[in-house]
Amino acid sequence: MSKFDQFVDWHDERVTLGSVIGLWSAQVVNMSADIRNFPAEMVGNFGYDDFIDALFTRTFLEKAALETKITESDHEHYVIKASDELFSSLTRDDPGFAVIDSEPLLEKYRADPQYWWTRRIPAGGALGFEVCRMARAVRGLKY
């Protein structure tokens, strides 16, 4: 059986690892389209909540990959890596932890380098503007 077909627990249901990988990939592709199609200060289709949801999806995917023992010899590793590389190209380092500060449930990943995606912020487009606006609002700052 392929590791894509292995079941993992997601919230209160069982899903395949492949469906989690597919969700992460779809979220990154949607984020890419939004950044490309909507310049800054416009409302895009993929917003702050979608970005945070994608970070949680990737966090769960990391745990599921460990549970199913994904290694560099597995095809699944390279599918995840491709989406991660696209995500990295769409984001930049968040040295001020604006995203983590705006979402308290991400706090526990602040110091763990394994969860690098939680310390990234969109590099541009409407999404970049919205995430920065939300992060500033949480800190009580105007945008």
Side-chain angles (χ1 to χ4, degrees):
M1 174 181 1
S2 163
K3 289 184 180 177
F4 279 117
D5 298 324
Q6 289 185 9
F7 283 93
V8 293
D9 291 320
W10 178 314
H11 306 291
D12 51 351
E13 62 182 295
R14 297 203 29 91
V15 298
T16 64
L17 176 65
S19 65
V20 180
I21 292 171
L23 177 58
W24 168 240
S25 297
Q27 287 170 320
V28 173
V29 167
N30 287 336
M31 184 175 134
S32 175
D34 196 76
I35 288 172
R36 184 181 62 249
N37 293 327
F38 296 98
E41 299 188 31
M42 285 186 68
V43 175
N45 295 324
F46 192 92
Y48 171 82
D49 290 335
D50 300 308
F51 181 73
I52 297 300
D53 188 46
L55 297 181
F56 283 119
T57 298
R58 183 59 183 88
T59 299
F60 176 77
L61 176 55
E62 184 69 15
K63 293 173 183 176
L66 291 170
E67 179 184 327
T68 56
K69 298 179 173 70
I70 300 291
T71 67
E72 287 188 20
S73 64
D74 294 312
H75 298 293
E76 295 83 356
H77 169 80
Y78 294 99
V79 176
I80 296 166
K81 185 175 179 181
S83 293
D84 284 353
E85 288 176 1
L86 178 56
F87 179 81
S88 288
S89 75
L90 299 170
T91 59
R92 60 182 171 80
D93 287 333
D94 181 10
F97 301 104
V99 172
I100 288 174
D101 288 346
S102 73
E103 179 49 63
L105 293 174
L106 293 174
E107 179 62 38
K108 62 185 168 186
Y109 305 109
R110 182 184 296 258
D112 191 339
Q114 182 175 346
Y115 296 90
W116 57 268
W117 53 91
T118 63
R119 291 180 302 284
R120 305 285 294 176
I121 196 164
L127 179 61
F129 178 77
E130 184 177 354
V131 170
C132 288
R133 183 179 59 82
M134 291 296 293
R136 290 180 60 81
V138 166
R139 290 181 174 166
L141 304 170
K142 292 185 178 183
Y143 63 96

